Amino acid sequence: MAGTIRAQYPTTIRPIRVNCTARVTPSLIMRSIGSGADGVLIVG
Amino acid sequence: MLDVARNENVKLYTYSEVSKISGYIGNFSVEINQRARYVNNDCNGCGACMDVCPAYGYNEFNQGLNPRPAIYISFPQAVPSIAQIDMNQCIKCGLCESVCELEAIDFDQQPEIIKLDVGTIIVATGWDEYIPEDGYLGYNKYDNVITQLQLERILAPNGPTNGHLVRPSDGKEPKRILFIQCVGSRDLNRNAYCSGGVCCMISIKNSKLIKQHYPDAEITIAYMDMRAAGKYYEEYYTASRKEGIQYLRSNISRVYEDPETKNLKVLIQDTLRETLGVKEKEYDLIILSAAMIPDYDISALIKTLKLEVTPDGFFKERHARLEPIETKIPGISLAGVAQGPKSIAESIMQAGGAASSAGKLMKRGKYKIELITGEVDKEKCSKCGLCILNCPYDAIKMVEDGAEVDEIACRGCGSCLANCPSEAITLRYYREVQYEDQIDALLEGIKEEVA
């Protein structure tokens, strides 16, 4: 989506594709933050 | 419509609604609730009952502009041409029963549930005209403020006035007529969208029609932008300007009534010539060109079909540009204004597309499913049922030893596993460990930095 609308976003963002935002479990979010991510953005 | 009814391959259920749907592409089972007409199929639409019926109700087809008997045929070209009784108005005098030669009146008729097995479904539920709130631009407050559909019925030869343009307050021919465009559309407080230029074209058509019958009528169209995009549309618009219809680019916020003459006053400014300033003008009749909105009674069907809608309330297509006909559920497609505002020509195009997309699936007889589906480890399943509540596709069933995913209906979204408290469900190809490894790999460098 960010690609089709040619949105600019910082290079420090690491996208991970999920089939549906409902697929994101709390444990995945906690793992990302635990691994050093500053934040997790769930975008649909 | 008559051709459809006569085609032996088409079964038509009118005065009915879909009350239940289950299954998946190729194997949908549908329940249709056919309401009671209180007149059986022997009726040949002769209308003898309508002549003797002493009870009256509003004629919905004519936008409530004239009365109709309690036993009525909904509109002259109705298919099938069978009378129906409005039980809210009927006084059960039995006069219709006594005049009906075919003995078609049946006061004891009950609604009927019809069960069907179908392979594909096309949703074409159409639209309703936006009803402005009482008092907005004088609607429902002043007699001579009507909507575009009401005007449409007044101008129709079989309408309440036999096609003669008269205004509701005194039955006189209006001389000065104002059309107000974008009522309830392109308005952030009502509907943000534009109704696809349909209301623009209807106003042009009706103003030309009025001008044709009453050449001395002074017609003004107050518009935001005239959206005449389509084959011959711009030419049609230009022709109407040549015929003397006045177009004023202006925003009208209030309408006042002269209590004696019932004429209407508005403050109007041509925003393309602002130096002329705001002027007060008087009109005999005001027509509100109201937005096209999804059918007012659609919410139950949305739940039944388990489809999504866009924020404007129309059914959501799978992709706005690439798959504008299909929905998120394979085997269910959309046609016409159910998907978004559009003209008759565009609706016919989309209907053709929907028919061929259904036909393609039916002809092939086979459907390839994705392997990305949920899997349940029944040993871990506690049968709590949270997955069933969260499944947007109705693909999970509870059986004796745990939840079971229907692999055809499942679309692999993963809502079930994210909510599963016992971690009994996994999504093929998108398992938790795969995501964990992805996260770890992407954040590897950062972790070292932090440490």
Side-chain angles (χ1 to χ4, degrees), chain B residues 236-445:
Chain B
Y236 196 68
Y237 170 42
T238 313
S240 82
R241 281 158 69 185
K242 281 188 187 147
E243 282 172 27
I245 290 151
Q246 193 192 9
Y247 287 85
L248 273 184
R249 183 168 165 264
S250 61
N251 239 332
I252 290 166
S253 53
R254 284 183 84 175
V255 173
Y256 306 88
E257 185 186 57
D258 183 330
E260 275 176 31
T261 57
K262 299 270 181 190
N263 288 344
L264 302 153
K265 286 176 181 167
V266 293
L267 287 175
I268 198 165
Q269 180 186 25
D270 187 347
T271 49
L272 294 175
R273 286 181 290 173
E274 286 190 9
T275 46
L276 294 179
V278 180
K279 281 183 184 158
E280 190 187 68
K281 287 202 177 164
E282 203 176 281
Y283 294 96
D284 301 329
L285 180 69
I286 288 184
I287 293 119
L288 306 180
S289 221
M292 287 175 113
I293 59 162
D295 194 293
Y296 269 109
D297 303 324
I298 201 89
S299 50
L301 187 69
I302 294 169
K303 275 189 201 136
T304 313
L305 289 170
K306 296 200 166 58
L307 289 179
E308 285 172 40
V309 289
T310 38
D312 52 19
F314 294 102
F315 281 106
K316 190 178 180 182
E317 60 292 302
R318 213 165 131 70
H319 190 287
R321 271 159 288 171
L322 302 175
E323 289 170 291
I325 293 173
E326 285 80 19
T327 61
K328 68 169 190 177
I329 301 175
I332 302 187
S333 32
L334 304 171
V337 183
Q339 184 249 337
K342 56 176 72 66
S343 66
I344 296 172
E346 288 165 321
S347 296
I348 291 172
M349 278 188 253
Q350 199 180 16
S356 71
S357 101
K360 207 165 66 185
L361 291 164
M362 307 285 278
K363 174 87 182 155
R364 204 183 285 142
K366 285 178 188 165
Y367 179 74
K368 224 184 208 174
I369 56 163
E370 293 275 347
L371 272 177
I372 309 165
T373 57
E375 264 183 316
V376 186
D377 181 345
K378 286 193 181 161
E379 276 184 15
K380 284 188 190 167
C381 178
S382 65
K383 296 188 237 175
C384 67
L386 266 179
C387 46
I388 298 177
L389 285 178
N390 282 295
C391 180
Y393 302 98
D394 207 12
I396 306 180
K397 264 199 311 252
M398 193 59 75
V399 289
E400 214 167 282
D401 53 345
E404 214 169 68
V405 179
D406 184 326
E407 295 203 347
I408 306 173
C410 176
R411 305 284 292 148
C413 69
S415 317
C416 49
L417 73 114
N419 287 293
C420 182
S422 6
E423 295 180 5
I425 311 182
T426 47
L427 187 61
R428 267 195 216 117
Y429 303 102
Y430 291 93
R431 289 177 214 276
E432 202 74 358
V433 279
Q434 289 172 292
Y435 279 119
E436 285 170 7
D437 288 349
Q438 270 193 55
I439 292 168
D440 291 349
L442 284 170
L443 297 173
E444 214 168 23

Side-chain angles (χ1 to χ4, degrees), chain B residues 184-204:
Chain B
S185 54
R186 300 184 70 194
D187 179 342
L188 293 181
N189 296 322
R190 294 179 177 88
N191 298 300
Y193 59 87
C194 162
S195 301
V198 175
C199 347
C200 285
M201 297 315 291
I202 296 178
S203 283
I204 299 174

